[in-house]
């Protein structure tokens, strides 16, 4: 086909598309103006967009290795919010949990418990817990949706998760759980807790960073990393220098503690932590209300909590002389 003919054909196609779009817009506009205000049928897609844009609620997904202080954090957070007059709802996702120091509004043990799985199926604790979480995944559309119906718009949920690290590093259970909450219009933040007593050594710090980074990649959520149990650290300076470490400092310490054959690996790990700045930790001292509020403000900022709240105006009567 000659070049001039090809160009003419393309121009004709563009003109035809423009005319078609203009006609569609004109037809939709005339339809909306002729219908009543309550029965407008123009652009039904826009209604869908409006519904999806209205957030149903907000949530924290509290994760971290076993013994990192997740349940203690949830308890302290609940007490803090109760003190300041803020309402949050605690949700237990650990089928092996037994005792709580906070009121639980929704409990996975009403659906399935680890003790029942171990007794009836003869599984061990780790395999039984994975089975329980996969059973939860199979009942997202039934049991979980029924539980979520009891919450109102703008409700704030805190999910206390099990401590098995494989649940948020490579097993897709929590990822599918998160995706289901997103479809229910929840704004979610992953709160990853790491015991601060394990960060006083550079090799443990790198291991904690890699585990946190793995959870970030797996869940694809706004992510807050917290150093828990700061009140138990004897020398806080040993921990504070890892809050914003420099690559050359990490590299020199790694090289001193590891064999020379790991030199290239050490350099890559130090550059990964420094160059991308994706893994940063916030220290949390549960003895201080200001520390809890500081962490909570970071989480609220991640999920945009309170940004669409109405401004409350109070009228004051002038004082009489």
């Amino acid at each position: 086909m000659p070049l001039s003919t090809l160009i003419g054909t393309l121009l004709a196609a563009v003109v035809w598309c423009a005319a078609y779009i203009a006609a569609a817009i004109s037809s939709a506009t005339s339809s909306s103006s002729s219908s009543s205000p309550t029965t407008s049928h123009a652009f039904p897609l826009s209604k869908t967009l409006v519904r999806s844009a209205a957030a149903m609620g907000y949530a924290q997904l509290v994760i971290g290795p076993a013994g990192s202080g997740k349940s203690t954090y949830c308890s302290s957070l609940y007490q803090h919010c109760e003190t300041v007059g803020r309402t949050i709802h605690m949700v237990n996702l650990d089928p092996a949990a037994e005792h709580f120091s906070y009121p639980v509004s929704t409990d996975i043990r009403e659906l399935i418990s680890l003790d029942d799985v171990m007794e009836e199926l003869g599984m061990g604790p780790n395999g039984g817990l994975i089975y329980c979480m996969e059973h939860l995944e199979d009942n997202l559309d039934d049991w979980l949706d029924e539980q979520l119906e009891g919450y109102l718009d703008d409700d704030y949920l805190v999910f206390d998760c099990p401590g098995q690290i494989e649940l948020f590093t490579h097993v897709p259970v929590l990822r599918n759980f998160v995706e289901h909450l997103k479809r229910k219009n929840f704004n979610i933040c992953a709160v990853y807790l790491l015991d601060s007593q394990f960060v006083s050594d550079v090799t443990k710090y790198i291991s904690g960073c890699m585990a946190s980074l793995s959870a970030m990649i797996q869940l694809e959520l706004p992510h807050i990393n917290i150093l828990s149990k700061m009140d138990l650290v004897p020398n806080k300076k040993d921990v504070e220098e890892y809050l914003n470490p420099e690559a050359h400092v990490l590299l020199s310490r790694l090289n001193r503690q590891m064999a020379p054959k790991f030199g290239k690996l050490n350099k890559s790990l130090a550059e990964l932590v420094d160059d991308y700045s994706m893994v940063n930790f916030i220290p949390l001292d549960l003895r201080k209300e200001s520390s809890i509020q500081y962490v909570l403000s970071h989480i609220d900022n991640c999920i945009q909590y309170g940004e669409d709240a109405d401004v409350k105006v109070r009228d004051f009567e002038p004082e009489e002389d």
Side-chain angles (χ1 to χ4, degrees), residues 68-89:
S68 58
K70 296 183 295 297
S71 296
T72 304
Y73 162 79
C74 291
S75 176
S76 299
L77 180 64
Y78 179 84
Q79 294 175 8
H80 171 77
C81 291
E82 190 176 35
T83 301
V84 300
R86 177 171 166 179
T87 301
I88 61 174
H89 305 278

Side-chain angles (χ1 to χ4, degrees), residues 102-116:
Y102 53 83
V104 179
S105 60
T106 301
D107 194 344
I108 189 178
R109 296 176 303 172
E110 298 175 358
L111 174 68
I112 189 171
S113 68
L114 179 60
D115 290 338
D116 293 340

